[in-house]
């Protein structure tokens, strides 16, 4: 074999070699470029944020945990760790590539590639009456008012009377109108809403909103009146 032939053969082999699977950051960024409003962030959530968001997952019993916007799976992994094989974990992710990666990595979770607004129907299809916990990885602060209300209605419709809902928002989004609207929506739909301290070890920094006990017929309340908002985020 001549030197030129060997070089052509080596080049052909390199071209035929399957490409490596992209890491989480690369895949997340790629999907963000395609649909930034749907992804909401340019990097997966940190372990520190995942621990705070998933703190409401019970340590005992057989709970039903529903995860919205599972993404590359940082919350999925933490929920699976906390459940340790107990209960039932439904991970809803609209993006097909991310949903398939979740299935490959977390066989213990039931990954559903659908829009979260159809949550009541998704649970009915699986014979599930209600969820004990709903954990959200959705970018609520980026959604218009109509979408926020649709998703909140879907969430409240599946939560048990004593159920818990957790979501996060980025620190820089706190003063933005959609973020304030989301916090007021939470205050109207749940009896108790408690924000966490700022989680600085996340990109970008974020905080978690822990909501409990959905109201059957929510009154018109103001988040700022309920929370004294200006002193809550530190």
């Amino acid at each position: 074999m001549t030197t030129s032939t060997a070089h052509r053969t080596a080049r052909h082999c390199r071209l035929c070699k399957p490409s490596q699977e992209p890491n989480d950051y690369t895949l997340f960024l790629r999907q963000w470029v395609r649909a930034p409003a749907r992804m909401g962030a340019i990097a997966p959530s940190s372990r520190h944020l995942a621990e705070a968001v998933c703190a409401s997952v019970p340590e005992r019993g057989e709970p039903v945990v529903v995860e919205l916007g599972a993404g590359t799976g940082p919350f999925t992994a933490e929920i699976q760790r906390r459940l340790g094989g107990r209960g039932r974990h439904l991970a809803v992710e609209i993006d097909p590539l991310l949903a398939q990666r979740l299935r490959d990595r977390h066989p213990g979770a039931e990954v559903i590639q659908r829009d979260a607004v159809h949550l009541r129907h998704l649970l009915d299809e699986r014979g599930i009456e209600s969820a004990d916990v709903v954990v959200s990885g959705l970018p609520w602060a980026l959604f218009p008012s109509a979408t926020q209300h649709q998703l909140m209605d879907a969430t409240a419709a599946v939560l048990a009377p004593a159920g818990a809902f957790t979501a996060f928002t980025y620190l820089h989004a706190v003063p933005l109108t959609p973020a304030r609207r989301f916090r007021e929506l939470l205050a109207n739909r749940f009896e108790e809403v408690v924000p966490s301290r700022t989680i600085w070890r996340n990109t970008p920094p974020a905080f978690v909103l822990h909501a409990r006990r959905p109201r059957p017929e929510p009154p018109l309340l103001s988040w700022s009146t309920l929370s004294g908002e200006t002193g809550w985020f530190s």
Side-chain angles (χ1 to χ4, degrees):
M1 179 183 294
T2 65
T3 302
S4 60
T5 302
H7 286 168
R8 286 197 300 271
T9 302
R11 181 173 179 272
H12 176 74
C13 290
R14 287 196 301 271
L15 291 175
C16 292
K17 184 178 179 179
S19 60
Q20 282 189 325
E21 183 184 59
N23 61 32
D24 286 356
Y25 179 82
T26 302
L27 179 59
F28 196 98
L29 184 59
R30 183 183 299 168
Q31 301 310 97
W32 180 86
V33 169
R34 293 176 178 174
R38 191 169 69 192
M39 299 299 292
I42 60 171
S45 299
S46 69
R47 173 176 58 85
H48 309 284
L49 181 58
E51 290 174 353
V53 169
C54 300
S56 58
V57 176
E59 297 181 354
R60 300 180 182 84
E62 300 291 330
V64 174
V65 180
V66 176
E67 180 185 6
L68 308 180
T72 56
F75 298 170
T76 312
E78 180 63 15
I79 293 169
Q80 285 289 289
R81 186 188 71 79
R82 288 175 177 267
L83 287 176
R86 298 176 295 111
R88 201 163 175 183
H89 175 193
L90 276 61
V92 182
E93 171 54 51
I94 196 171
D95 186 280
L97 292 179
L98 296 177
Q100 187 55 53
R101 175 164 288 195
L102 289 168
R103 293 188 187 98
D104 295 339
R105 287 186 174 178
H106 303 287
E110 300 174 50
V111 179
I112 307 168
Q113 188 206 327
R114 293 283 293 279
D115 192 321
V117 297
H118 304 300
L119 195 54
R120 178 68 271 170
H121 182 61
L122 299 180
L123 266 64
D124 287 342
E125 286 180 333
R126 289 156 180 82
I128 300 174
E129 181 178 351
S130 61
D132 299 293
V133 178
V134 175
V135 171
S136 174
L138 296 171
W140 291 85
L142 294 183
F143 293 146
S145 179
T147 302
Q148 286 184 351
H149 277 81
Q150 276 186 306
L151 289 167
M152 190 59 67
D153 287 345
T155 299
V158 303
L159 270 173
F165 170 70
T166 59
F168 73 94
T169 189
Y170 294 119
L171 187 61
H172 66 266
V174 168
L176 300 181
T177 298
R180 295 178 65 87
R181 186 173 58 228
F182 172 57
R183 296 195 298 274
E184 291 202 353
L185 184 58
L186 276 177
N188 279 306
R189 299 305 298 266
F190 290 87
E191 293 181 9
E192 177 186 55
V193 183
V194 180
S196 73
R197 290 186 175 275
T198 301
I199 300 166
W200 296 104
R201 298 173 72 178
N202 189 74
T203 304
F207 64 90
V208 180
L209 295 165
H210 299 276
R212 293 185 179 276
R213 299 184 302 280
R215 301 177 190 272
E217 294 184 7
L220 294 177
L221 302 174
S222 166
W223 168 270
S224 56
T225 299
L226 290 176
S227 68
E229 183 179 36
T230 54
W232 279 43
F233 310 110
S234 60

